[in-house]
């Protein structure tokens, strides 16, 4: 089993739709979690950290389920500009980050 | 947010030459930096972890003599691809770990990447 797994997609959704991605991790000792966004041929950019209690930033909501070892990202009211690859990042205790392979999102008119 | 710069952004070189890539954290001190490579439509692959003042820790399968990493200061790490070959052509990205405030969540900030093409 890979350390961090994501459905590569692509997820094709119309503008205005709500879409959710999950990311599972295998190491129960993982300590911090993040979602990054990567546009084509660009570097990843931090979208949001994921806190145990769940957190929201505008249209984006991130949640952590330690019991089932997954994190999720929910995007409401999708915009065309949300089209990108969303990377799940899990840090183990030594702060060595492990990336998922990313989930591709395509928002169409 | 924190800024990490990377230079050069693009380099084309002949096979057999060495290429040096610099990664700088501009507004915070990074005790740890990471070097990744990414092939088209693939995930980021961690190559090595660079700690200031000590030797880098390389991931399995990454040749330390081919990919030389130096982390001479708290704001600069360099990756040198020695005797580059066409199969080394890739997108190389560095990141710097910002430990943040005490009790806060540390995060990574990425440089804009270096696209290396070896002819």
């Amino acid at each position: 089993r890979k350390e961090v797994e994501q459905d590569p997609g692509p997820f094709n959704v119309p503008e205005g739709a709500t879409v959710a991605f999950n990311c599972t991790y295998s190491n129960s000792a993982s300590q911090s979690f993040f979602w990054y966004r990567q546009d084509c041929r660009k570097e990843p950019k931090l979208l949001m950290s994921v806190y145990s209690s769940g957190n929201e930033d505008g249209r984006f909501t991130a949640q952590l389920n330690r019991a089932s070892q997954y994190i999720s990202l929910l995007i409401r009211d999708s915009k065309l500009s949300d089209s990108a690859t969303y990377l799940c990042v899990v840090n183990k205790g030594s702060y060595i980050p492990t990336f998922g392979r990313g989930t591709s999102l395509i928002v169409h008119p | 947010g924190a800024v990490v710069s990377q230079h050069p952004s693009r380099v084309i070189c002949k096979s057999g030459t060495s290429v040096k890539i610099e990664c700088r954290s501009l507004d915070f001190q990074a005790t740890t930096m990471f070097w990744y490579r990414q092939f088209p439509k693939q995930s980021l692959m961690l190559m090595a972890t660079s700690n200031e003042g000590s030797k880098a820790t390389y991931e399995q399968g990454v040749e330390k003599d081919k990919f030389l990493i130096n982390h001479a200061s708290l704001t600069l790490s360099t990756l040198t691809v020695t005797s580059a070959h066409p199969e080394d052509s890739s997108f190389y990205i560095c990141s710097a770990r910002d430990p943040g405030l005490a009790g806060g969540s540390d995060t990574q900030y990425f440089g804009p990447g270096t696209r290396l093409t070896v002819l």
Side-chain angles (χ1 to χ4, degrees):
Chain A
R1 184 183 172 187
K2 290 183 182 175
E3 286 193 64
V4 179
E5 291 200 68
Q6 290 183 257
D7 181 345
F11 284 61
N12 265 286
V13 303
E15 268 186 293
T18 295
V19 61
F21 314 131
N22 279 346
C23 166
T24 59
Y25 60 94
S26 61
N27 190 331
S28 59
S30 299
Q31 297 193 351
S32 53
F33 310 87
F34 307 88
W35 283 102
Y36 280 76
R37 169 196 170 124
Q38 186 174 25
D39 293 290
C40 189
R41 299 173 73 86
K42 299 283 188 181
E43 79 278 17
K45 292 190 176 174
L46 179 65
L47 181 64
M48 58 198 303
S49 303
V50 186
Y51 302 122
S52 298
S53 54
N55 48 300
E56 189 174 306
D57 183 2
R59 298 182 292 108
F60 299 84
T61 301
Q63 292 197 311
L64 166 63
N65 186 316
R66 283 194 185 273
S68 300
Q69 294 184 203
Y70 74 87
I71 65 172
S72 64
L73 177 68
L74 180 80
I75 305 175
R76 289 182 299 277
D77 189 23
S78 299
K79 311 290 184 192
L80 295 176
S81 58
D82 293 335
S83 298
T85 297
Y86 291 84
L87 302 169
C88 162
V89 179
V90 176
N91 278 356
K92 294 178 283 191
S94 57
Y95 299 106
I96 302 297
T98 304
F99 281 79
R101 65 173 292 180
T103 297
S104 175
L105 171 65
I106 300 171
V107 182
H108 58 80
Chain B
V3 177
V4 174
S5 71
Q6 200 171 327
H7 178 79
S9 58
R10 184 182 293 269
V11 59
I12 300 172
C13 68
K14 292 182 179 179
S15 187
T17 58
S18 293
V19 175
K20 186 185 218 178
I21 303 169
E22 291 188 350
C23 177
R24 293 180 186 273
S25 57
L26 299 184
D27 55 3
F28 64 99
Q29 293 186 326
T31 53
T32 304
M33 290 184 172
F34 303 95
W35 286 97
Y36 298 85
R37 64 190 294 180
Q38 187 176 34
F39 293 106
K41 299 187 179 180
Q42 300 290 318
S43 62
L44 284 156
M45 297 298 296
L46 180 64
M47 298 175 67
T49 303
S50 169
N51 295 299
E52 186 268 336
S54 65
K55 289 184 179 180
T57 302
Y58 289 81
E59 295 299 300
Q60 195 171 13
V62 179
E63 299 174 58
K64 58 183 69 176
D65 293 331
K66 178 160 184 69
F67 299 99
L68 301 178
I69 291 172
N70 183 279
H71 195 152
S73 76
L74 287 171
T75 59
L76 173 64
S77 175
T78 60
L79 167 68
T80 302
V81 183
T82 61
S83 187
H85 288 95
E87 58 266 29
D88 297 324
S89 299
S90 187
F91 190 44
Y92 291 85
I93 309 175
C94 74
S95 71
R97 178 185 160 223
D98 181 359
L101 300 174
S105 178
D106 71 300
T107 55
Q108 283 189 87
Y109 295 95
F110 285 85
T114 297
R115 196 161 297 280
L116 171 64
T117 302
V118 185
L119 303 177

